[in-house]
Amino acid sequence: MALSLLGIACSPRRNGNTTKLLLEGIRVAQAEGHSTELVYLTDLKISPCQGCGACSAKGICVINDDILKLQEKLIHSDRFILAAPIYFMGVNAQTKTMIDRMQTFWARKYLLNQTLLNPAGPERIGLFISTAGTRLPNVFECAERSVKTFYHMLDIKYSQACLYSGVDKVGDIEASPSSLEEVRKATQALLIS
């Protein structure tokens, strides 16, 4: 069965290391006959959550920006790859802004008891890809927790993470062919789950 895979490139560097890994995953999905869509967060105009609470009443955000288009893609996709670099021991600002704007889904799910998904559709599953310049042992801990919460809000099962430390300069990931192979295998597993 052909699935729809949504890749979200969160790095402000369009040719950054996380994006290169994401593109490798996209290529795997396309080669196996699945439909894919790639979204670069830097192409979208997304304002930060204002904490106004308006979405608690109707599950609709009062900010009219590109998050609405992205939320539609998130609702209608089957598989997901979120690729975000680590900044200051957490996800970068673009990723965090996107995640914070999922408050509308939280309101719909927990306050308004609404379901966003077709219960007859395939199980939705997501992969997380990240790189960090530092090699500290807990460098991915906060980011992975944020991404798991993001996926949970959208009823997406968290499959696994492909995490690479000591990768800082643009292109550094290319010196690690094993990381590209790991992403290929993780994407294949994502598609057969």
Side-chain angles (χ1 to χ4, degrees), residues 6-10 37-41 44-46 65-77 80 82 94-95 97-99 101-102 105 124 150 154:
L6 176 64
I8 304 175
C10 301
E37 184 169 3
L38 177 59
V39 172
Y40 290 92
L41 282 187
L44 305 179
K45 293 188 184 340
I46 302 176
D65 61 10
D66 290 340
I67 200 69
L68 302 173
K69 291 183 238 176
L70 180 58
Q71 286 177 335
E72 282 300 308
K73 295 175 192 306
L74 287 163
I75 290 171
H76 293 104
S77 298
F80 306 85
L82 189 147
Q94 291 82 355
T95 310
T97 299
M98 175 193 68
I99 290 173
R101 290 292 300 283
M102 296 302 130
F105 288 118
R124 294 154 43 86
F150 168 73
L154 294 162

PDB file of all heavy atoms in Angstrom, residues 6-10 37-41 44-46 65-77 80 82 94-95 97-99 101-102 105 124 150 154:
ATOM      1  N   LEU A   6       5.462  12.863   4.939  1.00  0.00           N
ATOM      2  CA  LEU A   6       5.733  14.293   5.057  1.00  0.00           C
ATOM      3  C   LEU A   6       7.076  14.470   5.739  1.00  0.00           C
ATOM      4  O   LEU A   6       7.283  13.996   6.853  1.00  0.00           O
ATOM      5  CB  LEU A   6       4.642  14.980   5.877  1.00  0.00           C
ATOM      6  CG  LEU A   6       4.838  16.473   6.157  1.00  0.00           C
ATOM      7  CD1 LEU A   6       4.811  17.281   4.867  1.00  0.00           C
ATOM      8  CD2 LEU A   6       3.777  16.978   7.126  1.00  0.00           C
ATOM      9  N   GLY A   7       7.998  15.122   5.046  1.00  0.00           N
ATOM     10  CA  GLY A   7       9.287  15.464   5.639  1.00  0.00           C
ATOM     11  C   GLY A   7       9.293  16.932   6.021  1.00  0.00           C
ATOM     12  O   GLY A   7       8.887  17.787   5.227  1.00  0.00           O
ATOM     13  N   ILE A   8       9.736  17.228   7.239  1.00  0.00           N
ATOM     14  CA  ILE A   8       9.793  18.615   7.702  1.00  0.00           C
ATOM     15  C   ILE A   8      11.248  18.959   7.985  1.00  0.00           C
ATOM     16  O   ILE A   8      11.863  18.430   8.917  1.00  0.00           O
ATOM     17  CB  ILE A   8       8.933  18.839   8.955  1.00  0.00           C
ATOM     18  CG1 ILE A   8       7.488  18.403   8.701  1.00  0.00           C
ATOM     19  CG2 ILE A   8       8.983  20.306   9.378  1.00  0.00           C
ATOM     20  CD1 ILE A   8       6.594  18.484   9.924  1.00  0.00           C
ATOM     21  N   ALA A   9      11.806  19.837   7.146  1.00  0.00           N
ATOM     22  CA  ALA A   9      13.182  20.307   7.302  1.00  0.00           C
ATOM     23  C   ALA A   9      13.149  21.550   8.179  1.00  0.00           C
ATOM     24  O   ALA A   9      12.663  22.598   7.763  1.00  0.00           O
ATOM     25  CB  ALA A   9      13.792  20.609   5.937  1.00  0.00           C
ATOM     26  N   CYS A  10      13.662  21.427   9.385  1.00  0.00           N
ATOM     27  CA  CYS A  10      13.541  22.505  10.370  1.00  0.00           C
ATOM     28  C   CYS A  10      14.761  23.413  10.455  1.00  0.00           C
ATOM     29  O   CYS A  10      14.698  24.463  11.084  1.00  0.00           O
ATOM     30  CB  CYS A  10      13.277  21.900  11.745  1.00  0.00           C
ATOM     31  SG  CYS A  10      11.776  20.885  11.814  1.00  0.00           S
ATOM     32  N   GLU A  37       6.232  14.586   0.436  1.00  0.00           N
ATOM     33  CA  GLU A  37       6.192  16.046   0.387  1.00  0.00           C
ATOM     34  C   GLU A  37       7.225  16.559   1.370  1.00  0.00           C
ATOM     35  O   GLU A  37       7.360  16.038   2.474  1.00  0.00           O
ATOM     36  CB  GLU A  37       4.811  16.578   0.759  1.00  0.00           C
ATOM     37  CG  GLU A  37       4.727  18.085   0.625  1.00  0.00           C
ATOM     38  CD  GLU A  37       3.318  18.644   0.718  1.00  0.00           C
ATOM     39  OE1 GLU A  37       2.382  17.862   0.951  1.00  0.00           O
ATOM     40  OE2 GLU A  37       3.168  19.867   0.565  1.00  0.00           O
ATOM     41  N   LEU A  38       7.975  17.549   0.940  1.00  0.00           N
ATOM     42  CA  LEU A  38       9.015  18.139   1.765  1.00  0.00           C
ATOM     43  C   LEU A  38       8.645  19.580   2.075  1.00  0.00           C
ATOM     44  O   LEU A  38       8.348  20.360   1.168  1.00  0.00           O
ATOM     45  CB  LEU A  38      10.354  18.084   1.024  1.00  0.00           C
ATOM     46  CG  LEU A  38      11.561  18.723   1.701  1.00  0.00           C
ATOM     47  CD1 LEU A  38      11.858  18.088   3.054  1.00  0.00           C
ATOM     48  CD2 LEU A  38      12.776  18.629   0.789  1.00  0.00           C
ATOM     49  N   VAL A  39       8.655  19.921   3.345  1.00  0.00           N
ATOM     50  CA  VAL A  39       8.364  21.282   3.784  1.00  0.00           C
ATOM     51  C   VAL A  39       9.612  21.838   4.464  1.00  0.00           C
ATOM     52  O   VAL A  39      10.165  21.207   5.372  1.00  0.00           O
ATOM     53  CB  VAL A  39       7.179  21.308   4.778  1.00  0.00           C
ATOM     54  CG1 VAL A  39       7.011  22.690   5.382  1.00  0.00           C
ATOM     55  CG2 VAL A  39       5.903  20.856   4.113  1.00  0.00           C
ATOM     56  N   TYR A  40      10.055  22.988   4.000  1.00  0.00           N
ATOM     57  CA  TYR A  40      11.134  23.716   4.664  1.00  0.00           C
ATOM     58  C   TYR A  40      10.477  24.753   5.573  1.00  0.00           C
ATOM     59  O   TYR A  40       9.789  25.658   5.082  1.00  0.00           O
ATOM     60  CB  TYR A  40      12.022  24.423   3.640  1.00  0.00           C
ATOM     61  CG  TYR A  40      12.870  23.497   2.799  1.00  0.00           C
ATOM     62  CD1 TYR A  40      12.401  23.024   1.568  1.00  0.00           C
ATOM     63  CD2 TYR A  40      14.133  23.102   3.226  1.00  0.00           C
ATOM     64  CE1 TYR A  40      13.180  22.184   0.788  1.00  0.00           C
ATOM     65  CE2 TYR A  40      14.916  22.256   2.445  1.00  0.00           C
ATOM     66  CZ  TYR A  40      14.435  21.801   1.234  1.00  0.00           C
ATOM     67  OH  TYR A  40      15.202  20.967   0.466  1.00  0.00           O
ATOM     68  N   LEU A  41      10.690  24.635   6.866  1.00  0.00           N
ATOM     69  CA  LEU A  41      10.056  25.593   7.788  1.00  0.00           C
ATOM     70  C   LEU A  41      10.453  27.030   7.476  1.00  0.00           C
ATOM     71  O   LEU A  41       9.655  27.947   7.676  1.00  0.00           O
ATOM     72  CB  LEU A  41      10.413  25.269   9.239  1.00  0.00           C
ATOM     73  CG  LEU A  41       9.662  24.121   9.892  1.00  0.00           C
ATOM     74  CD1 LEU A  41       9.997  24.047  11.376  1.00  0.00           C
ATOM     75  CD2 LEU A  41       8.162  24.229   9.697  1.00  0.00           C
ATOM     76  N   LEU A  44       8.088  29.061   5.403  1.00  0.00           N
ATOM     77  CA  LEU A  44       6.780  29.391   5.955  1.00  0.00           C
ATOM     78  C   LEU A  44       6.863  30.603   6.872  1.00  0.00           C
ATOM     79  O   LEU A  44       7.868  30.809   7.552  1.00  0.00           O
ATOM     80  CB  LEU A  44       6.219  28.198   6.739  1.00  0.00           C
ATOM     81  CG  LEU A  44       6.114  26.869   5.992  1.00  0.00           C
ATOM     82  CD1 LEU A  44       5.560  25.794   6.915  1.00  0.00           C
ATOM     83  CD2 LEU A  44       5.261  27.010   4.743  1.00  0.00           C
ATOM     84  N   LYS A  45       5.795  31.355   6.906  1.00  0.00           N
ATOM     85  CA  LYS A  45       5.684  32.466   7.859  1.00  0.00           C
ATOM     86  C   LYS A  45       4.864  31.942   9.041  1.00  0.00           C
ATOM     87  O   LYS A  45       3.646  31.764   8.926  1.00  0.00           O
ATOM     88  CB  LYS A  45       5.010  33.662   7.206  1.00  0.00           C
ATOM     89  CG  LYS A  45       5.845  34.292   6.112  1.00  0.00           C
ATOM     90  CD  LYS A  45       5.241  35.581   5.630  1.00  0.00           C
ATOM     91  CE  LYS A  45       5.948  36.239   4.490  1.00  0.00           C
ATOM     92  NZ  LYS A  45       7.273  35.939   4.183  1.00  0.00           N
ATOM     93  N   ILE A  46       5.569  31.664  10.147  1.00  0.00           N
ATOM     94  CA  ILE A  46       4.919  31.117  11.345  1.00  0.00           C
ATOM     95  C   ILE A  46       5.286  31.994  12.528  1.00  0.00           C
ATOM     96  O   ILE A  46       6.456  32.130  12.878  1.00  0.00           O
ATOM     97  CB  ILE A  46       5.355  29.660  11.611  1.00  0.00           C
ATOM     98  CG1 ILE A  46       5.027  28.764  10.412  1.00  0.00           C
ATOM     99  CG2 ILE A  46       4.691  29.132  12.879  1.00  0.00           C
ATOM    100  CD1 ILE A  46       5.524  27.337  10.558  1.00  0.00           C
ATOM    101  N   ASP A  65      -1.629  32.497   9.799  1.00  0.00           N
ATOM    102  CA  ASP A  65      -0.353  32.422   9.088  1.00  0.00           C
ATOM    103  C   ASP A  65      -0.199  31.030   8.470  1.00  0.00           C
ATOM    104  O   ASP A  65      -1.166  30.269   8.385  1.00  0.00           O
ATOM    105  CB  ASP A  65       0.816  32.798  10.012  1.00  0.00           C
ATOM    106  CG  ASP A  65       0.953  31.863  11.209  1.00  0.00           C
ATOM    107  OD1 ASP A  65       0.287  30.804  11.252  1.00  0.00           O
ATOM    108  OD2 ASP A  65       1.735  32.189  12.127  1.00  0.00           O
ATOM    109  N   ASP A  66       1.000  30.675   8.078  1.00  0.00           N
ATOM    110  CA  ASP A  66       1.224  29.431   7.342  1.00  0.00           C
ATOM    111  C   ASP A  66       1.116  28.171   8.189  1.00  0.00           C
ATOM    112  O   ASP A  66       1.168  27.065   7.651  1.00  0.00           O
ATOM    113  CB  ASP A  66       2.591  29.469   6.652  1.00  0.00           C
ATOM    114  CG  ASP A  66       2.633  30.453   5.496  1.00  0.00           C
ATOM    115  OD1 ASP A  66       1.551  30.820   4.984  1.00  0.00           O
ATOM    116  OD2 ASP A  66       3.746  30.851   5.096  1.00  0.00           O
ATOM    117  N   ILE A  67       0.968  28.303   9.497  1.00  0.00           N
ATOM    118  CA  ILE A  67       0.831  27.095  10.327  1.00  0.00           C
ATOM    119  C   ILE A  67      -0.424  26.319   9.945  1.00  0.00           C
ATOM    120  O   ILE A  67      -0.457  25.095  10.042  1.00  0.00           O
ATOM    121  CB  ILE A  67       0.838  27.429  11.839  1.00  0.00           C
ATOM    122  CG1 ILE A  67       1.200  26.179  12.670  1.00  0.00           C
ATOM    123  CG2 ILE A  67      -0.497  27.964  12.305  1.00  0.00           C
ATOM    124  CD1 ILE A  67       2.601  25.709  12.532  1.00  0.00           C
ATOM    125  N   LEU A  68      -1.438  27.025   9.475  1.00  0.00           N
ATOM    126  CA  LEU A  68      -2.684  26.357   9.104  1.00  0.00           C
ATOM    127  C   LEU A  68      -2.464  25.381   7.948  1.00  0.00           C
ATOM    128  O   LEU A  68      -2.988  24.261   7.958  1.00  0.00           O
ATOM    129  CB  LEU A  68      -3.751  27.395   8.743  1.00  0.00           C
ATOM    130  CG  LEU A  68      -4.072  28.406   9.846  1.00  0.00           C
ATOM    131  CD1 LEU A  68      -5.011  29.481   9.333  1.00  0.00           C
ATOM    132  CD2 LEU A  68      -4.651  27.706  11.064  1.00  0.00           C
ATOM    133  N   LYS A  69      -1.674  25.781   6.951  1.00  0.00           N
ATOM    134  CA  LYS A  69      -1.359  24.887   5.830  1.00  0.00           C
ATOM    135  C   LYS A  69      -0.556  23.687   6.305  1.00  0.00           C
ATOM    136  O   LYS A  69      -0.803  22.555   5.888  1.00  0.00           O
ATOM    137  CB  LYS A  69      -0.558  25.640   4.756  1.00  0.00           C
ATOM    138  CG  LYS A  69      -1.335  26.701   4.016  1.00  0.00           C
ATOM    139  CD  LYS A  69      -0.446  27.295   2.938  1.00  0.00           C
ATOM    140  CE  LYS A  69      -0.331  28.780   3.171  1.00  0.00           C
ATOM    141  NZ  LYS A  69       0.552  29.465   2.270  1.00  0.00           N
ATOM    142  N   LEU A  70       0.400  23.942   7.187  1.00  0.00           N
ATOM    143  CA  LEU A  70       1.220  22.847   7.701  1.00  0.00           C
ATOM    144  C   LEU A  70       0.381  21.895   8.539  1.00  0.00           C
ATOM    145  O   LEU A  70       0.535  20.670   8.451  1.00  0.00           O
ATOM    146  CB  LEU A  70       2.395  23.395   8.515  1.00  0.00           C
ATOM    147  CG  LEU A  70       3.336  22.344   9.099  1.00  0.00           C
ATOM    148  CD1 LEU A  70       3.925  21.449   8.012  1.00  0.00           C
ATOM    149  CD2 LEU A  70       4.438  23.006   9.916  1.00  0.00           C
ATOM    150  N   GLN A  71      -0.528  22.414   9.329  1.00  0.00           N
ATOM    151  CA  GLN A  71      -1.387  21.546  10.142  1.00  0.00           C
ATOM    152  C   GLN A  71      -2.248  20.637   9.265  1.00  0.00           C
ATOM    153  O   GLN A  71      -2.451  19.469   9.598  1.00  0.00           O
ATOM    154  CB  GLN A  71      -2.257  22.386  11.081  1.00  0.00           C
ATOM    155  CG  GLN A  71      -1.459  22.958  12.237  1.00  0.00           C
ATOM    156  CD  GLN A  71      -2.278  23.853  13.150  1.00  0.00           C
ATOM    157  OE1 GLN A  71      -3.281  24.432  12.752  1.00  0.00           O
ATOM    158  NE2 GLN A  71      -1.836  23.982  14.385  1.00  0.00           N
ATOM    159  N   GLU A  72      -2.719  21.139   8.153  1.00  0.00           N
ATOM    160  CA  GLU A  72      -3.491  20.293   7.225  1.00  0.00           C
ATOM    161  C   GLU A  72      -2.631  19.147   6.703  1.00  0.00           C
ATOM    162  O   GLU A  72      -3.085  18.008   6.607  1.00  0.00           O
ATOM    163  CB  GLU A  72      -4.040  21.121   6.057  1.00  0.00           C
ATOM    164  CG  GLU A  72      -5.268  21.927   6.409  1.00  0.00           C
ATOM    165  CD  GLU A  72      -6.433  21.058   6.877  1.00  0.00           C
ATOM    166  OE1 GLU A  72      -6.797  20.112   6.172  1.00  0.00           O
ATOM    167  OE2 GLU A  72      -6.963  21.335   7.969  1.00  0.00           O
ATOM    168  N   LYS A  73      -1.391  19.438   6.364  1.00  0.00           N
ATOM    169  CA  LYS A  73      -0.473  18.395   5.880  1.00  0.00           C
ATOM    170  C   LYS A  73      -0.223  17.374   6.989  1.00  0.00           C
ATOM    171  O   LYS A  73      -0.156  16.173   6.736  1.00  0.00           O
ATOM    172  CB  LYS A  73       0.840  19.014   5.417  1.00  0.00           C
ATOM    173  CG  LYS A  73       0.712  19.916   4.203  1.00  0.00           C
ATOM    174  CD  LYS A  73       2.042  20.582   3.882  1.00  0.00           C
ATOM    175  CE  LYS A  73       1.933  21.704   2.878  1.00  0.00           C
ATOM    176  NZ  LYS A  73       1.289  21.381   1.644  1.00  0.00           N
ATOM    177  N   LEU A  74      -0.092  17.859   8.209  1.00  0.00           N
ATOM    178  CA  LEU A  74       0.148  16.965   9.339  1.00  0.00           C
ATOM    179  C   LEU A  74      -1.044  16.048   9.601  1.00  0.00           C
ATOM    180  O   LEU A  74      -0.881  14.896   9.984  1.00  0.00           O
ATOM    181  CB  LEU A  74       0.475  17.781  10.592  1.00  0.00           C
ATOM    182  CG  LEU A  74       1.854  18.424  10.610  1.00  0.00           C
ATOM    183  CD1 LEU A  74       1.926  19.521  11.656  1.00  0.00           C
ATOM    184  CD2 LEU A  74       2.940  17.387  10.839  1.00  0.00           C
ATOM    185  N   ILE A  75      -2.226  16.546   9.385  1.00  0.00           N
ATOM    186  CA  ILE A  75      -3.436  15.740   9.608  1.00  0.00           C
ATOM    187  C   ILE A  75      -3.574  14.664   8.542  1.00  0.00           C
ATOM    188  O   ILE A  75      -4.004  13.551   8.834  1.00  0.00           O
ATOM    189  CB  ILE A  75      -4.685  16.646   9.627  1.00  0.00           C
ATOM    190  CG1 ILE A  75      -4.688  17.510  10.883  1.00  0.00           C
ATOM    191  CG2 ILE A  75      -5.966  15.814   9.558  1.00  0.00           C
ATOM    192  CD1 ILE A  75      -5.758  18.584  10.890  1.00  0.00           C
ATOM    193  N   HIS A  76      -3.193  14.965   7.310  1.00  0.00           N
ATOM    194  CA  HIS A  76      -3.496  14.067   6.196  1.00  0.00           C
ATOM    195  C   HIS A  76      -2.339  13.176   5.749  1.00  0.00           C
ATOM    196  O   HIS A  76      -2.463  12.480   4.742  1.00  0.00           O
ATOM    197  CB  HIS A  76      -4.031  14.889   5.011  1.00  0.00           C
ATOM    198  CG  HIS A  76      -5.358  15.500   5.309  1.00  0.00           C
ATOM    199  ND1 HIS A  76      -5.502  16.837   5.605  1.00  0.00           N
ATOM    200  CD2 HIS A  76      -6.587  14.953   5.407  1.00  0.00           C
ATOM    201  CE1 HIS A  76      -6.776  17.090   5.859  1.00  0.00           C
ATOM    202  NE2 HIS A  76      -7.451  15.964   5.739  1.00  0.00           N
ATOM    203  N   SER A  77      -1.243  13.158   6.464  1.00  0.00           N
ATOM    204  CA  SER A  77      -0.115  12.303   6.087  1.00  0.00           C
ATOM    205  C   SER A  77      -0.098  11.038   6.939  1.00  0.00           C
ATOM    206  O   SER A  77      -0.639  11.003   8.037  1.00  0.00           O
ATOM    207  CB  SER A  77       1.200  13.067   6.248  1.00  0.00           C
ATOM    208  OG  SER A  77       1.217  14.181   5.380  1.00  0.00           O
ATOM    209  N   PHE A  80       6.007  10.329   8.813  1.00  0.00           N
ATOM    210  CA  PHE A  80       6.613  11.633   9.072  1.00  0.00           C
ATOM    211  C   PHE A  80       8.098  11.477   9.360  1.00  0.00           C
ATOM    212  O   PHE A  80       8.502  10.538  10.048  1.00  0.00           O
ATOM    213  CB  PHE A  80       5.956  12.297  10.292  1.00  0.00           C
ATOM    214  CG  PHE A  80       4.466  12.396  10.165  1.00  0.00           C
ATOM    215  CD1 PHE A  80       3.660  11.337  10.527  1.00  0.00           C
ATOM    216  CD2 PHE A  80       3.880  13.532   9.653  1.00  0.00           C
ATOM    217  CE1 PHE A  80       2.285  11.399  10.393  1.00  0.00           C
ATOM    218  CE2 PHE A  80       2.498  13.609   9.512  1.00  0.00           C
ATOM    219  CZ  PHE A  80       1.706  12.545   9.883  1.00  0.00           C
ATOM    220  N   LEU A  82      10.789  14.243  10.866  1.00  0.00           N
ATOM    221  CA  LEU A  82      11.096  15.595  11.325  1.00  0.00           C
ATOM    222  C   LEU A  82      12.604  15.663  11.508  1.00  0.00           C
ATOM    223  O   LEU A  82      13.179  14.846  12.234  1.00  0.00           O
ATOM    224  CB  LEU A  82      10.372  15.881  12.642  1.00  0.00           C
ATOM    225  CG  LEU A  82      10.448  17.326  13.114  1.00  0.00           C
ATOM    226  CD1 LEU A  82       9.159  17.690  13.852  1.00  0.00           C
ATOM    227  CD2 LEU A  82      11.632  17.558  14.011  1.00  0.00           C
ATOM    228  N   GLN A  94      13.047  27.500  15.004  1.00  0.00           N
ATOM    229  CA  GLN A  94      11.998  27.238  14.018  1.00  0.00           C
ATOM    230  C   GLN A  94      11.165  26.015  14.419  1.00  0.00           C
ATOM    231  O   GLN A  94       9.944  26.027  14.312  1.00  0.00           O
ATOM    232  CB  GLN A  94      12.623  27.035  12.628  1.00  0.00           C
ATOM    233  CG  GLN A  94      13.217  28.285  12.018  1.00  0.00           C
ATOM    234  CD  GLN A  94      14.627  28.608  12.514  1.00  0.00           C
ATOM    235  OE1 GLN A  94      15.178  27.967  13.402  1.00  0.00           O
ATOM    236  NE2 GLN A  94      15.221  29.641  11.929  1.00  0.00           N
ATOM    237  N   THR A  95      11.845  24.981  14.888  1.00  0.00           N
ATOM    238  CA  THR A  95      11.147  23.768  15.314  1.00  0.00           C
ATOM    239  C   THR A  95      10.286  24.045  16.534  1.00  0.00           C
ATOM    240  O   THR A  95       9.125  23.627  16.602  1.00  0.00           O
ATOM    241  CB  THR A  95      12.159  22.648  15.645  1.00  0.00           C
ATOM    242  OG1 THR A  95      13.082  22.508  14.567  1.00  0.00           O
ATOM    243  CG2 THR A  95      11.452  21.337  15.903  1.00  0.00           C
ATOM    244  N   THR A  97       9.008  26.857  17.576  1.00  0.00           N
ATOM    245  CA  THR A  97       7.858  27.692  17.223  1.00  0.00           C
ATOM    246  C   THR A  97       6.754  26.843  16.617  1.00  0.00           C
ATOM    247  O   THR A  97       5.580  26.983  16.968  1.00  0.00           O
ATOM    248  CB  THR A  97       8.287  28.810  16.251  1.00  0.00           C
ATOM    249  OG1 THR A  97       9.259  29.633  16.908  1.00  0.00           O
ATOM    250  CG2 THR A  97       7.108  29.662  15.825  1.00  0.00           C
ATOM    251  N   MET A  98       7.114  25.942  15.703  1.00  0.00           N
ATOM    252  CA  MET A  98       6.126  25.053  15.094  1.00  0.00           C
ATOM    253  C   MET A  98       5.458  24.185  16.156  1.00  0.00           C
ATOM    254  O   MET A  98       4.229  24.058  16.189  1.00  0.00           O
ATOM    255  CB  MET A  98       6.789  24.159  14.046  1.00  0.00           C
ATOM    256  CG  MET A  98       5.843  23.123  13.456  1.00  0.00           C
ATOM    257  SD  MET A  98       6.672  21.839  12.495  1.00  0.00           S
ATOM    258  CE  MET A  98       7.580  20.955  13.756  1.00  0.00           C
ATOM    259  N   ILE A  99       6.240  23.590  17.036  1.00  0.00           N
ATOM    260  CA  ILE A  99       5.680  22.711  18.066  1.00  0.00           C
ATOM    261  C   ILE A  99       4.736  23.486  18.985  1.00  0.00           C
ATOM    262  O   ILE A  99       3.640  23.023  19.304  1.00  0.00           O
ATOM    263  CB  ILE A  99       6.808  22.018  18.856  1.00  0.00           C
ATOM    264  CG1 ILE A  99       7.515  20.998  17.961  1.00  0.00           C
ATOM    265  CG2 ILE A  99       6.264  21.346  20.110  1.00  0.00           C
ATOM    266  CD1 ILE A  99       8.764  20.369  18.576  1.00  0.00           C
ATOM    267  N   ARG A 101       2.927  25.953  18.317  1.00  0.00           N
ATOM    268  CA  ARG A 101       1.687  26.272  17.620  1.00  0.00           C
ATOM    269  C   ARG A 101       0.757  25.059  17.485  1.00  0.00           C
ATOM    270  O   ARG A 101      -0.358  25.174  16.980  1.00  0.00           O
ATOM    271  CB  ARG A 101       1.992  26.879  16.256  1.00  0.00           C
ATOM    272  CG  ARG A 101       2.591  28.276  16.329  1.00  0.00           C
ATOM    273  CD  ARG A 101       1.625  29.334  16.830  1.00  0.00           C
ATOM    274  NE  ARG A 101       0.460  29.462  16.001  1.00  0.00           N
ATOM    275  CZ  ARG A 101       0.422  30.086  14.838  1.00  0.00           C
ATOM    276  NH1 ARG A 101       1.493  30.694  14.371  1.00  0.00           N
ATOM    277  NH2 ARG A 101      -0.701  30.131  14.150  1.00  0.00           N
ATOM    278  N   MET A 102       1.174  23.914  17.968  1.00  0.00           N
ATOM    279  CA  MET A 102       0.303  22.735  17.993  1.00  0.00           C
ATOM    280  C   MET A 102      -0.646  22.767  19.191  1.00  0.00           C
ATOM    281  O   MET A 102      -1.393  21.830  19.437  1.00  0.00           O
ATOM    282  CB  MET A 102       1.127  21.442  18.024  1.00  0.00           C
ATOM    283  CG  MET A 102       1.964  21.225  16.776  1.00  0.00           C
ATOM    284  SD  MET A 102       0.987  21.173  15.257  1.00  0.00           S
ATOM    285  CE  MET A 102       1.918  22.331  14.253  1.00  0.00           C
ATOM    286  N   PHE A 105      -4.098  21.627  18.564  1.00  0.00           N
ATOM    287  CA  PHE A 105      -4.361  20.187  18.595  1.00  0.00           C
ATOM    288  C   PHE A 105      -4.557  19.699  20.035  1.00  0.00           C
ATOM    289  O   PHE A 105      -5.385  18.855  20.307  1.00  0.00           O
ATOM    290  CB  PHE A 105      -3.237  19.408  17.915  1.00  0.00           C
ATOM    291  CG  PHE A 105      -3.226  19.571  16.427  1.00  0.00           C
ATOM    292  CD1 PHE A 105      -2.147  20.140  15.793  1.00  0.00           C
ATOM    293  CD2 PHE A 105      -4.293  19.147  15.652  1.00  0.00           C
ATOM    294  CE1 PHE A 105      -2.123  20.291  14.414  1.00  0.00           C
ATOM    295  CE2 PHE A 105      -4.288  19.297  14.278  1.00  0.00           C
ATOM    296  CZ  PHE A 105      -3.204  19.871  13.658  1.00  0.00           C
ATOM    297  N   ARG A 124      -0.334   6.081  12.004  1.00  0.00           N
ATOM    298  CA  ARG A 124       0.579   7.163  11.660  1.00  0.00           C
ATOM    299  C   ARG A 124       1.852   7.006  12.494  1.00  0.00           C
ATOM    300  O   ARG A 124       1.787   6.824  13.702  1.00  0.00           O
ATOM    301  CB  ARG A 124      -0.092   8.496  11.930  1.00  0.00           C
ATOM    302  CG  ARG A 124      -1.284   8.731  11.004  1.00  0.00           C
ATOM    303  CD  ARG A 124      -2.335   9.656  11.582  1.00  0.00           C
ATOM    304  NE  ARG A 124      -1.871  10.831  12.249  1.00  0.00           N
ATOM    305  CZ  ARG A 124      -1.590  11.996  11.651  1.00  0.00           C
ATOM    306  NH1 ARG A 124      -1.747  12.131  10.356  1.00  0.00           N
ATOM    307  NH2 ARG A 124      -1.184  13.032  12.346  1.00  0.00           N
ATOM    308  N   PHE A 150       5.293  16.348  20.501  1.00  0.00           N
ATOM    309  CA  PHE A 150       4.713  16.830  19.250  1.00  0.00           C
ATOM    310  C   PHE A 150       3.995  15.690  18.525  1.00  0.00           C
ATOM    311  O   PHE A 150       2.834  15.819  18.120  1.00  0.00           O
ATOM    312  CB  PHE A 150       5.848  17.412  18.390  1.00  0.00           C
ATOM    313  CG  PHE A 150       5.500  17.694  16.962  1.00  0.00           C
ATOM    314  CD1 PHE A 150       4.685  18.759  16.619  1.00  0.00           C
ATOM    315  CD2 PHE A 150       6.030  16.911  15.946  1.00  0.00           C
ATOM    316  CE1 PHE A 150       4.395  19.034  15.287  1.00  0.00           C
ATOM    317  CE2 PHE A 150       5.748  17.178  14.614  1.00  0.00           C
ATOM    318  CZ  PHE A 150       4.921  18.238  14.288  1.00  0.00           C
ATOM    319  N   LEU A 154      -0.340  14.698  17.879  1.00  0.00           N
ATOM    320  CA  LEU A 154      -0.919  14.438  16.561  1.00  0.00           C
ATOM    321  C   LEU A 154      -1.263  12.965  16.357  1.00  0.00           C
ATOM    322  O   LEU A 154      -1.527  12.546  15.231  1.00  0.00           O
ATOM    323  CB  LEU A 154       0.064  14.890  15.483  1.00  0.00           C
ATOM    324  CG  LEU A 154       0.300  16.390  15.453  1.00  0.00           C
ATOM    325  CD1 LEU A 154       1.559  16.733  14.693  1.00  0.00           C
ATOM    326  CD2 LEU A 154      -0.892  17.099  14.854  1.00  0.00           C
TER     327      LEU A 154
END
